[in-house]
Amino acid sequence: MTLVQATTLDNPQTLFIESHGISVQIPFKKPRSWTRSPVIMCISPQFVAEKWQIFLMNIHVVRRYGGHMHIYVTSMVEELFNTLKVYERWGSVTLDYWVRMKFLETQAPYNDPMRNVEWRNQAGAQTDCLLQYKEVADFITFFDIDDILIPRLSHNYHQEFSSHFQAIPSFHSIFYTKRDVAVQKVNNVSDFSFRHIFSTMVIRDEIGYGKSIVNPLRYNSTWIHHSFQLPIEKMYKVWNTELIHVKEILDEELNTTAPFKVPKMFGTNEDPLIREADLQSLDRDFRDAFGDAHFNATAVKMVDYNYFAPIVFKCYNESFYHPYFVQHRGFEELCPNADNCVLPQREDIKCIHSDAKYVSGPEMHPITFHYAVKPFWSRDIGCFQ
């Protein structure tokens, strides 16, 4: 793959690349001219996604604090996908295609691009999200679906982020560390309750490398956690708030009779992880959603199969995490990628998969342009990455 940055005319209608007398037109998307919220939460590409409990937690938290969630989907179990489509019709989320990179035809030998790009080209998705909203959003975040942010200084995201950036106007981004937590498993969506989930939440000692919230006027591209093209000293690290990283759903059913308690920030006995009033608001919002006949009929069909997640976790550990953290092998030897993971299919689990019409341009030197157009959702591919 090649990343090209170039200057164009203002408001170009077409774009071509040319080499040795051969040219091909490059299709491109125009940036969005409006947005439902000035705060956009870009969620990394989902594949064989099945943990509906985490999706519901994060979607309602983002709704509560005034953000809009933009989720890239490669594949997802059908029942979860159908439920997210209801949220999309309500304007709470945007589901976007994240298709595989494929060549329709080629005359030259090539390496499979999906097996030779890190993390499913997650940085590409996040940069795409940034460029989509760059001209209409005030703040853009780059999170995984299991990264949940509870603002502590304000009652909504926009006020929270504004307070940080107003204090450091020359900075391009702010950065939150991640704190691992474990939650009990909700087996039936009718039992879903923020009050009970947070009352039984286990706050772990472990922290992870965090994620960024950026001023889109100062950002043109990004990596997974932050950009390496901008000075790191202009990224403000927030110390009094941590991302909640839902690292584990415990293999024990949610205790709906557990006494209510608000979990505390790690290392403190006084600072609540979330306001009690916010928990009440979150539960009201979910009950209102669950009371909608269409949402109810769709959501009650969701099942956490817990089938693909353990397979992917084991594959990532064997192919990257163990060699990197235990054997101390560097990125020059490893390509963190799930494309080599074998995902045995099950007849009782159906997935929606992103797909598109693939086009290969004429053979050119040094670059032949391959692309995809007219993306669509398919039930015929299976549950793959």
Side-chain angles (χ1 to χ4, degrees):
M1 291 189 299
T2 301
L3 174 64
V4 177
Q5 290 183 316
T7 302
T8 68
L9 299 173
D10 289 340
N11 301 315
Q13 301 303 306
T14 57
L15 189 65
F16 288 80
I17 55 172
E18 185 270 338
S19 178
H20 302 288
I22 302 174
S23 65
V24 61
Q25 185 173 350
I26 301 176
F28 59 88
K29 292 188 294 187
K30 292 185 177 180
R32 293 176 181 266
S33 59
W34 74 282
T35 177
R36 293 184 179 274
S37 167
V39 179
I40 301 298
M41 321 295 275
C42 300
I43 303 298
S44 60
Q46 303 297 302
F47 69 103
V48 293
E50 59 184 346
K51 297 294 183 182
W52 62 262
Q53 178 177 341
I54 294 177
F55 279 84
L56 262 57
M57 289 176 65
N58 211 344
I59 287 171
H60 282 275
V61 167
V62 170
R63 277 162 57 108
R64 167 64 184 84
Y65 297 117
H68 180 80
M69 186 176 284
H70 189 105
I71 308 173
Y72 288 91
V73 178
T74 297
S75 62
M76 180 178 289
V77 296
E78 187 171 21
E79 300 88 348
L80 172 57
F81 180 85
N82 291 338
T83 302
L84 296 191
K85 290 296 287 184
V86 179
Y87 283 110
E88 186 173 48
R89 284 193 288 273
W90 289 344
S92 301
V93 306
T94 295
L95 300 180
D96 205 350
Y97 308 92
W98 197 242
V99 299
R100 291 180 61 84
M101 294 179 287
K102 293 193 292 190
F103 301 149
L104 181 64
E105 59 183 42
T106 180
Q107 299 177 20
Y110 68 92
N111 292 320
D112 185 342
M114 290 304 298
R115 296 195 176 204
N116 291 275
V117 64
E118 62 173 6
W119 306 123
R120 313 176 308 284
N121 196 20
Q122 183 175 334
Q126 294 182 171
T127 297
D128 178 82
C129 190
L130 167 67
L131 297 179
Q132 284 197 49
Y133 293 96
K134 181 178 175 65
E135 297 181 7
V136 291
D138 292 337
F139 306 108
I140 298 177
T141 78
F142 305 115
F143 289 175
D144 292 323
I145 193 60
D146 55 6
D147 297 328
I148 299 176
L149 180 60
I150 308 293
R152 297 189 65 234
L153 302 178
S154 306
H155 291 277
N156 63 64
Y157 288 135
H158 196 274
Q159 290 178 356
E160 184 92 354
F161 302 153
S162 295
S163 66
H164 288 303
F165 278 105
Q166 287 170 3
I168 46 168
S170 65
F171 281 53
H172 52 68
S173 60
I174 55 180
F175 187 83
Y176 290 87
T177 299
K178 299 199 299 185
R179 172 71 58 182
D180 290 353
V181 307
V183 296
Q184 293 180 340
K185 182 178 181 179
V186 182
N187 287 321
N188 191 312
V189 69
S190 62
D191 295 325
F192 184 88
S193 162
F194 281 95
R195 183 183 180 90
H196 294 132
I197 290 172
F198 274 81
S199 290
T200 56
M201 180 180 286
V202 180
I203 313 296
R204 304 289 196 197
D205 292 350
E206 293 81 12
I207 59 173
Y209 198 59
K211 297 295 178 68
S212 298
I213 293 88
V214 309
N215 175 352
L217 296 179
R218 296 179 178 272
Y219 245 70
N220 290 318
S221 65
T222 188
W223 186 58
I224 295 172
H225 297 279
H226 54 75
S227 172
F228 283 104
Q229 306 303 314
L230 296 170
I232 198 74
E233 63 270 14
K234 291 294 184 179
M235 179 178 73
Y236 176 71
K237 293 186 177 180
V238 179
W239 299 109
N240 62 355
T241 307
E242 295 175 328
L243 280 169
I244 298 172
H245 180 219
V246 187
K247 182 71 175 290
E248 182 182 7
I249 296 181
L250 300 170
D251 192 21
E252 56 185 87
E253 188 172 354
L254 180 66
N255 184 355
T256 57
T257 63
F260 172 69
K261 66 174 182 178
V262 177
K264 306 299 183 184
M265 294 281 293
F266 180 81
T268 75
N269 294 318
E270 298 180 0
D271 296 335
L273 192 63
I274 185 172
R275 302 175 187 90
E276 184 175 352
D278 287 355
L279 284 176
Q280 294 172 351
S281 177
L282 286 165
D283 274 330
R284 280 196 303 270
D285 186 44
F286 176 73
R287 300 319 299 182
D288 288 346
F290 197 62
D292 178 87
H294 187 201
F295 178 87
N296 187 296
T298 304
V300 295
K301 298 176 182 177
M302 292 192 297
V303 177
D304 180 1
Y305 296 99
N306 196 34
Y307 175 67
F308 293 110
I311 295 173
V312 173
F313 182 78
K314 181 174 183 292
C315 178
Y316 268 139
N317 270 337
E318 292 176 349
S319 62
F320 176 71
Y321 289 116
H322 181 80
Y324 184 79
F325 289 107
V326 178
Q327 299 175 349
H328 304 294
R329 295 167 59 190
F331 278 97
E332 65 277 2
E333 298 180 58
L334 303 168
C335 181
N337 191 304
D339 208 61
N340 291 319
C341 300
V342 177
L343 297 175
Q345 302 295 286
R346 275 177 40 174
E347 283 296 322
D348 61 324
I349 305 179
K350 304 299 181 183
C351 283
I352 302 298
H353 207 292
S354 61
D355 202 0
K357 176 185 178 182
Y358 289 89
V359 181
S360 288
E363 195 77 12
M364 298 168 63
H365 182 79
I367 296 173
T368 297
F369 187 55
H370 306 264
Y371 58 99
V373 294
K374 300 179 179 178
F376 59 92
W377 304 116
S378 173
R379 297 182 75 253
D380 302 326
I381 295 175
C383 299
F384 296 101
Q385 60 272 54

